[in-house]
Amino acid sequence: MGESKPTHSEACCEYCGRPLAPCVVEFGARRIVAGFRECDCEGARGQRARAERMEAAKREARLAERRKRAGIPKRFLGATVQHQDLIDYLESFEGSAGRGLYIYGSVGRGKSYSAAALANAFVDAGYRTVFTTASAMLETRYAACDVLVLDDLGKEDAKEWSSNMMFLVINARYENMRPTIFTSNYSPQALSKRLGRKGETETAEAIASRLSETTIPIHLTGPDMRIASRM
């Protein structure tokens, strides 16, 4: 018996009209055509480039939607990690054993932007991530997500139930070794006094103690970025 010939229908490039080379595979005693190789003409290359751009746009849209669902504000959906300490944290995150960050500095130093940039990175990497403020966190449960990004710690109302609720969330994440990224206008040393300003000093000290153990302090300095952007 002679060698079997592959069975296929001819196909031509829709742009230049040249025949396309078949992709032949062995299937038992038969050789069949499983498809055709893409043409390398200018029209075909252009179509592939357009398809790649469309697919990239779809990926970006899917990422943006996931970022929105994580609670990241619209202003920061495109935020990217720029500070070297934050880059180092992301690169070593898999071995962080539940260690988060405590990002602090005066108004306008880029704390919220940095926090959102980190949240974007975690969302894009597939982590269940929630971005919220300390004030909003007190109205919801945020103990179970993989990564919690908590913006503006210390701005929430100084009420006893607020401190207690915050402690419950932070302590739950502490005990389960789930990392939390905080931003605040207050240094780690000043935070305990700020949180305990209505007399809840014990709870405030317990919160500050857990933050001290489980976060790496990063102090952002420099000019007010909001004022600088308007100049």
Side-chain angles (χ1 to χ4, degrees), residues 92-163:
S92 62
F93 180 74
E94 290 296 335
S96 66
R99 198 167 180 84
L101 299 174
Y102 186 87
I103 304 169
Y104 68 102
S106 302
V107 172
R109 271 32 177 202
K111 300 183 300 297
S112 296
Y113 180 95
S114 296
L118 287 168
N120 285 337
F122 283 119
V123 169
D124 296 355
Y127 290 96
R128 290 180 301 146
T129 305
V130 175
F131 184 100
T132 186
T133 64
S135 300
M137 186 190 71
L138 302 178
E139 302 172 1
T140 324
R141 295 181 180 180
Y142 290 99
C145 58
D146 293 334
V147 180
L148 176 64
V149 181
L150 200 163
D151 196 21
D152 276 338
L153 181 60
K155 277 192 175 181
E156 64 284 347
D157 291 337
K159 298 177 182 178
E160 180 178 344
W161 69 267
S162 297
S163 297

Side-chain angles (χ1 to χ4, degrees), residues 44-188:
R45 291 198 305 270
Q47 175 58 28
R48 289 195 292 273
R50 287 190 293 273
E52 289 172 0
R53 288 195 296 270
M54 289 180 62
E55 185 57 35
K58 290 178 181 178
R59 286 196 300 269
E60 288 299 318
R62 289 194 294 268
L63 285 177
E65 184 58 33
R66 289 203 292 268
R67 291 176 179 184
K68 290 177 183 177
R69 289 200 300 268
I72 300 168
K74 183 177 180 180
R75 180 179 296 276
F76 299 132
L77 288 177
T80 57
V81 177
Q82 300 172 4
H83 197 283
Q84 187 59 50
D85 287 337
L86 306 184
I87 295 173
D88 293 342
Y89 176 74
L90 289 177
E91 290 179 345
S92 62
F93 180 74
E94 290 296 335
S96 66
R99 198 167 180 84
L101 299 174
Y102 186 87
I103 304 169
Y104 68 102
S106 302
V107 172
R109 271 32 177 202
K111 300 183 300 297
S112 296
Y113 180 95
S114 296
L118 287 168
N120 285 337
F122 283 119
V123 169
D124 296 355
Y127 290 96
R128 290 180 301 146
T129 305
V130 175
F131 184 100
T132 186
T133 64
S135 300
M137 186 190 71
L138 302 178
E139 302 172 1
T140 324
R141 295 181 180 180
Y142 290 99
C145 58
D146 293 334
V147 180
L148 176 64
V149 181
L150 200 163
D151 196 21
D152 276 338
L153 181 60
K155 277 192 175 181
E156 64 284 347
D157 291 337
K159 298 177 182 178
E160 180 178 344
W161 69 267
S162 297
S163 297
N164 290 336
M165 180 62 74
M166 184 182 300
F167 173 77
L168 290 175
V169 173
I170 291 176
N171 188 59
R173 299 189 64 77
Y174 169 80
E175 291 179 346
N176 289 287
M177 298 180 69
R178 293 189 174 105
T180 306
I181 295 168
F182 302 86
T183 76
S184 179
N185 288 342
Y186 303 92
S187 69

